[in-house]
Amino acid sequence: MEFVTLCAASCATALLVGRIRTRSRLIYVGLASGAIVALTHIGADTIVGRAVPAVLESDALAATGGWWHYLSWLLGESLRVGVFAVLAAALVAGALPIIEKIFGVQTDLSLLELGDASHPLLRQLAQRAPGTYNHSINVAAIAEAAADTIGAHGLLTRVGAYFHDIGKMFKPNYFVENQDANDNCHDALQPAMSTLVIIAHVKDGADLARQHHLPKRIVDFIEQHHGTTLVEYFFREASKRSQEAANKEEVSETAFRYPGPKPQTREAAVLMLADSVESASRTLVEPNAARLQSLVDKIAMKKLLDGQFDECGLTLQQLEQVKSSLVKSLTAIYHGRVKYSGQATA
Ligand SMILES: [Fe+2]
Ligand SMILES: [Fe+2]
């Protein structure tokens, strides 16, 4: 009997709980599963007939309306069980942060709290590196939509995108999205040194995230969003300078690659692609659907051939879906917008 009620409680909660994005929804689920448990209790009691003899023996049945007494007793019992289910939901809502901490998981509720623009790290990013903040917001929007199309965790991808470049806030002016047209800090640096500064934003960001106790899954996004890709512009610049020099020494690619790891989840792969296409789309002179499509195709193919998607479990079919979603989102962003020109990718 208790087993049937417990099963009903567990199944009802598991089916109703789905994606909870507000605490009040958690209480609604508690109320609904409480009602289901109460009804199950009535049903089970009636089928087994366990409750009937107890009531029949009572003095109350001697009076008229014995069945009424039986029903009200049954309802009272069911209500008691239902109230416990609602109380359990309230308890879970309160204890959620502790449960998440102990088991190292993030519910949608805590992800939503993390993704709030008033988060201290995001506020600092907006103040110190407004260009990067703006880029992160755009990446978050297009990455969430793309992740949702392949059934990946869109909200997690969005929150990961908000934080992916927080490491840039230490040296914002070395990144193109924060630079003025006539002010390029890299002019005074050797390509190898510029590469070191650029690559450092991944480690700096991950360290900063850990200091602020961001969940591991968010730190993973920061560490994996560039995978082991090549910092192409400065690699080409270094190769060019080396060819012009007297000794013509071969430049090794390794020093110009991010340390990785490569994306380990589909969400991280989506973020990597969204990040690259958002930055690159700013260099298009007249962005339109066809140009955005060819840009996304080119970047996705380059990353695929470079082996960046080898460890994330993304299928080629899903990659196609992600690409279409990114083109759609970018086309919507650039629709009727003033064109950007003369910018290099971040
Ligand atoms: Fe980055
Ligand atoms: Fe980025």
Side-chain angles (χ1 to χ4, degrees):
M1 176 62 189
E2 271 72 26
F3 177 73
V4 174
T5 315
L6 266 176
C7 282
S10 316
C11 294
T13 313
L15 289 171
L16 290 168
V17 84
R19 286 263 156 96
I20 290 201
R21 293 196 167 186
T22 57
R23 282 186 204 279
S24 55
R25 168 105 177 109
L26 196 62
I27 303 296
Y28 290 143
V29 170
L31 283 170
S33 59
I36 291 170
V37 167
L39 286 171
T40 311
H41 202 72
I42 293 178
D45 257 352
T46 310
I47 291 168
V48 175
R50 195 188 68 163
V52 180
V55 180
L56 286 176
E57 279 164 26
S58 74
D59 293 343
L61 198 73
T64 51
W67 279 105
W68 167 246
H69 282 288
Y70 167 62
L71 274 179
S72 59
W73 177 85
L74 210 54
L75 276 172
E77 266 293 285
S78 315
L79 215 66
R80 187 178 61 84
V81 182
V83 165
F84 278 123
V86 178
L87 278 178
L91 214 74
V92 168
L96 217 50
I98 303 162
I99 296 171
E100 288 180 6
K101 196 100 194 144
I102 294 172
F103 294 102
V105 291
Q106 284 76 48
T107 58
D108 285 2
L109 280 176
S110 65
L111 282 175
L112 280 169
E113 277 169 19
L114 264 183
D116 192 282
S118 64
H119 191 285
L121 273 178
L122 296 180
R123 283 219 309 260
Q124 278 181 47
L125 183 67
Q127 280 163 9
R128 294 199 208 171
T132 303
Y133 178 77
N134 184 28
H135 155 73
S136 304
I137 300 293
N138 285 344
V139 173
I142 65 173
E144 181 180 27
D148 280 337
T149 54
I150 56 164
H153 200 326
L155 177 62
L156 177 67
T157 316
R158 167 151 68 94
V159 179
Y162 285 149
F163 291 95
H164 81 283
D165 273 339
I166 49 169
K168 287 184 180 177
M169 74 168 82
F170 294 109
K171 292 191 176 75
N173 296 334
Y174 284 85
F175 297 91
V176 70
E177 65 270 22
N178 303 309
Q179 286 169 355
D180 294 336
N182 314 314
D183 163 39
N184 191 344
C185 304
H186 294 287
D187 289 346
L189 296 180
Q190 288 292 321
M193 191 51 77
S194 293
T195 307
L196 281 180
V197 175
I198 285 179
I199 284 177
H201 86 273
V202 171
K203 190 182 173 297
D204 289 346
D207 289 345
L208 189 64
R210 286 193 197 96
Q211 278 166 24
H212 281 77
H213 306 292
L214 290 193
K216 187 182 174 297
R217 288 210 283 177
I218 302 298
V219 180
D220 288 345
F221 276 108
I222 299 173
E223 288 180 328
Q224 295 166 18
H225 80 275
H226 285 291
T228 56
T229 48
L230 185 68
V231 184
E232 226 172 295
Y233 176 81
F234 289 111
F235 173 67
R236 268 193 271 120
E237 194 62 26
S239 304
K240 200 174 86 189
R241 288 191 194 184
S242 161
Q243 286 305 308
E244 286 163 6
N247 57 7
K248 291 192 170 29
E249 204 180 311
E250 187 75 25
V251 179
S252 157
E253 255 192 33
T254 326
F256 290 85
R257 279 191 180 272
Y258 282 93
K262 292 175 181 175
Q264 300 294 303
T265 57
R266 292 185 304 163
E267 287 81 1
V270 169
L271 174 63
M272 171 186 261
L273 203 51
D275 182 30
S276 298
V277 300
E278 201 281 336
S279 303
S281 67
R282 292 166 183 250
T283 65
L284 289 180
V285 180
E286 281 177 42
N288 56 34
R291 282 182 187 169
L292 288 166
Q293 177 75 57
S294 103
L295 180 81
V296 171
D297 280 344
K298 202 176 84 188
I299 292 174
M301 185 54 82
K302 195 185 264 179
K303 300 227 180 278
L304 184 68
L305 295 178
D306 196 28
Q308 298 302 324
F309 302 137
D310 286 0
E311 298 167 12
C312 63
L314 190 76
T315 65
L316 287 177
Q317 191 186 20
Q318 287 169 341
L319 182 61
E320 282 306 311
Q321 290 170 322
V322 168
K323 277 165 53 185
S324 328
S325 167
L326 290 174
V327 172
K328 211 169 121 193
S329 304
L330 285 172
T331 310
I333 288 175
Y334 286 110
H335 178 71
R337 254 222 210 165
V338 181
K339 298 139 199 152
Y340 293 94
S341 66
Q343 287 187 353
T345 58

